[in-house]
Amino acid sequence: MGKRILIIAGDFVEDYELMVPFQALSAVGHTVHVVAPDKRTGDAIRTAIHDFEGDQTYTEKRGHNFTLNADFATIEPSAYDALLIPGGRAPEYLRLNERVISAVRHFAEAKKPIAAVCHGAQLLAAAGVIEGKRISAYPACAPEVTLAGGSYQSLDWPDAITDGNFVTAPAWTSHANWLAQFLTLLGTRITH
């Protein structure tokens, strides 16, 4: 039986880190709702594509518009089995929204599966839910993970790590491992 998964996003979320999990989790039978503060069902958010092109940090290009399929104002975290937090620039300002932080805390306290990638760790750190946990993220988020009491894990770009109910990874380059580990936590079985 499919799970109900909540994705919290916002404008300039990383394109791949929203689109790929949304499509992959939906394809294997899960119900996936994507919300953004101050937006409703049918509203669009803009995404950004981050790439690694030899500069000191990632580059950013305009991505796609993503149409939200649920209302942030009316969601009840208790109605969901798991949470997914994509990266990009959205977590930087989403962490200032107390309702977002409260939702993250709900999933952590209930020990429901939480998948965060790249800058998604900023929401985990702001919610104060990663103390003593091994957490990966984009390297620029390492200080926040450490200051929140987590143990920052510097992983190779295709890798991900699971610690308890948390599955984290450095970037969209980790999708195969990150999503596979999240599917394991969800109890998803794919047979061939």
Side-chain angles (χ1 to χ4, degrees):
M1 179 128 169
K3 304 286 184 175
R4 291 176 48 85
I5 301 167
L6 180 65
I7 298 179
I8 300 176
D11 284 318
F12 298 102
V13 63
E14 209 293 323
D15 190 275
Y16 299 147
E17 293 170 5
L18 173 60
M19 299 282 192
V20 173
F22 174 77
Q23 293 169 344
L25 294 166
S26 297
V28 298
H30 296 299
T31 299
V32 184
H33 289 159
V34 183
V35 298
D38 304 318
K39 304 253 184 182
R40 307 180 105 147
T41 302
D43 287 349
I45 55 174
R46 295 178 181 220
T47 71
I49 297 170
H50 294 159
D51 212 347
F52 309 99
E53 301 175 299
D55 301 296
Q56 290 180 315
T57 189
Y58 57 86
T59 59
E60 183 174 82
K61 298 167 186 69
R62 177 73 169 87
H64 301 90
N65 287 336
F66 183 92
T67 302
L68 301 170
N69 63 358
D71 290 341
F72 178 77
T74 60
I75 57 124
E76 288 297 331
S78 61
Y80 292 90
D81 301 302
L83 173 67
L84 188 138
I85 306 169
R89 285 192 291 146
E92 175 183 284
Y93 64 86
L94 290 175
R95 63 188 166 165
L96 302 175
N97 183 302
E98 190 50 46
R99 189 150 188 267
V100 169
I101 296 302
S102 177
V104 173
R105 287 183 181 139
H106 163 79
F107 286 94
E109 290 165 4
K111 302 217 180 303
K112 295 178 181 180
I114 299 173
V117 64
C118 198
H119 287 73
Q122 290 179 312
L123 286 182
L124 302 177
V129 298
I130 56 173
E131 187 169 347
K133 296 290 184 184
R134 294 173 298 143
I135 301 292
S136 185
Y138 187 71
C141 298
E144 290 169 86
V145 169
T146 302
L147 287 168
S151 173
Y152 175 73
Q153 303 296 296
S154 178
L155 302 178
D156 288 337
W157 291 104
D159 293 338
I161 187 168
T162 298
D163 189 346
N165 60 313
F166 293 92
V167 179
T168 55
W172 57 260
T173 52
S174 306
H175 275 341
N177 287 315
W178 179 60
L179 289 171
Q181 290 178 41
F182 189 48
L183 289 169
T184 297
L185 276 185
L186 293 170
T188 306
R189 301 213 274 176
I190 300 171
T191 58
H192 300 279

